[in-house]
Amino acid sequence: MPELPEVEVVRRGVAEHAVGRTVSGAEVLHPRAVRRHLPGPRDFTARLAGREVTAVRRRGKYLWLVLDRSEAVVTHLGMSGQLLFQPAGAPDEKHLRVRVRFTDDGPQLRFVDQRTFGGLHLAELVETGGGHVPQPIAHIAPDPMDPGFDVADLVARIRRRRTGIKRALLDQGLVSGIGNIYADEALWRARLHWAEPTAELPAERIRELLAEVTAVMRDALDAGGTSFDALYVNVNGESGYFDRSLAVYGKADGACPRCGAAVRRDPFMNRSAYSCPVCQPQPRS
DNA sequence: AATTCGGCCTGATTGC
DNA sequence: TGCAATCAGGCCGAAT
C-alpha cells in the first residue's frame, strides 16, 4: 500500500522527530524485520547504539536515516509497515518488530509491521549519478520527485522496452515510487490501457502519462497520502484522505468519474488492474 | 540481456 | 459455527 506519497509523509515525520537525536539502544522483537541486515540482529543493535541521526532521505519507496556521513538505517515499509513515534511508556503494538530508543528518553521510534514484508538494515552510502544512496538500493531508479529525475531519458528507456506500459511503470529499476494504486490512477488520467505496448507508444503520450503520474502523486501528498484502513498511517498514527479521490483503483463495477461506465478489474501479475473500458480501450493487438 | 514469475507474510473477508 | 480458500502486493532471485 505505501507508495511514494505515503513514504514521503512518513519521511517528513521521521525527519521532524529523529534528526539531531542520538540512539541509546535498539531492540529487535522479530528477526525477520532485520533479515536484510546480513550480520544479524545483534550486530544491528550493537552498531546503532551511540549514533546520531543527521538526516532522513528517500528514493521511491525506500527511506533511510543518515548516521554520520557514510552510513544509514535503510527502511522499506513493504505492504503493512509503519514507523511510529511513541512515548516510552506506551504499550507495545501487537506487531511491534523493532524499537529504537534515544538518549533523551523521549519518544521511541517503533517499526510495526503485520506482514513483515518490510524491514530495516544498516548500509553504506555510495555516490551514484543521482546522488548519495545506500549501496543495496543503488539499482533503484530516481523517482518522479527526485531532483535528478530525467524525463527525456526515461521516455527513451520505456520505448526501448518490449512490455506493457503498466509493467514498465511498476519496474523500480526504470522509475521508482510507483505501485499498483498510482499506476492505475495515472493510466486512467492519461486515458491509456495498462497493456499498451511500450514500444508502440508515441514519446508524447509517455510524457503525458509521466506528467499524470507526478500530478496524482502530488495530489495524494497534499491529502496526506492514501489509506484504506488503519494499516497505512503517518508517524503519529493518522491516516491520509486520498482514497476518497481515487477514480478507479479498487472500484470494480463503480462508475468512471469521467464517463460513468462501469470500472473493470482485470487479472494482472497475480493481482489486479483497474480501468475504464470506455476511456481506456484495449489495444488492438 | 531483458523480461516474467513464484515465494515470502498475516489478517479480513468470503464461501461451503 | 468452523474451517479453508482467497486476496491484498513490493521486492528479490530464479527461471525463461
Side-chain angles (χ1 to χ4, degrees), chain A residues 160-190:
Chain A
R160 283 201 293 272
R161 283 293 176 95
R162 290 293 179 274
T163 186
I165 186 63
K166 183 172 173 179
R167 283 180 186 275
L169 286 181
L170 296 179
D171 185 340
Q172 306 296 301
L174 210 44
V175 53
S176 68
I178 307 170
N180 215 27
I181 299 173
Y182 297 111
D184 279 359
E185 291 297 308
L187 287 165
W188 177 81
R189 289 185 180 207

Side-chain angles (χ1 to χ4, degrees), chain A residues 33-87:
Chain A
V34 295
R35 67 193 178 285
R36 301 213 173 285
H37 189 78
L38 301 182
R42 297 183 66 147
D43 181 84
F44 178 82
T45 55
R47 279 167 59 190
L48 217 45
R51 311 291 292 277
E52 181 185 344
V53 179
T54 58
V56 184
R57 312 234 180 264
R58 181 189 57 73
R59 167 171 283 195
K61 304 169 195 173
Y62 283 92
L63 76 82
W64 59 94
L65 288 72
V66 179
L67 311 170
D68 320 319
R69 290 213 178 280
S70 62
E71 207 174 24
V73 183
V74 183
T75 78
H76 195 291
L77 302 177
M79 260 294 288
S80 53
Q82 306 173 347
L83 288 172
L84 305 172
F85 284 88
Q86 293 278 24

Side-chain angles (χ1 to χ4, degrees), chain A residues 192-266:
Chain A
L192 275 174
H193 189 273
W194 53 267
E196 199 71 54
T198 48
E200 293 166 28
L201 274 173
E204 180 56 26
R205 290 292 282 135
I206 299 177
R207 278 194 292 272
E208 288 169 9
L209 173 62
L210 294 175
E212 296 296 359
V213 167
T214 307
V216 72
M217 286 182 165
R218 284 242 170 263
D219 290 350
L221 192 49
D222 291 344
T226 298
S227 174
F228 303 99
D229 50 38
L231 270 190
Y232 165 69
V233 292
N234 66 16
V235 297
N236 300 313
E238 301 154 348
S239 291
Y241 292 101
F242 193 68
D243 58 311
R244 298 174 193 177
S245 308
L246 296 175
V248 290
Y249 182 82
K251 301 194 183 286
D253 301 326
C256 166
R258 199 159 43 208
C259 75
V263 170
R264 80 188 145 197
R265 179 173 85 100
D266 298 313

Side-chain angles (χ1 to χ4, degrees), chain A residues 87-102:
Chain A
D92 287 4
E93 291 77 6
K94 183 175 179 190
H95 300 294
L96 178 63
R97 309 306 192 192
V98 179
R99 182 202 324 273
V100 179
R101 295 189 174 87
F102 296 90

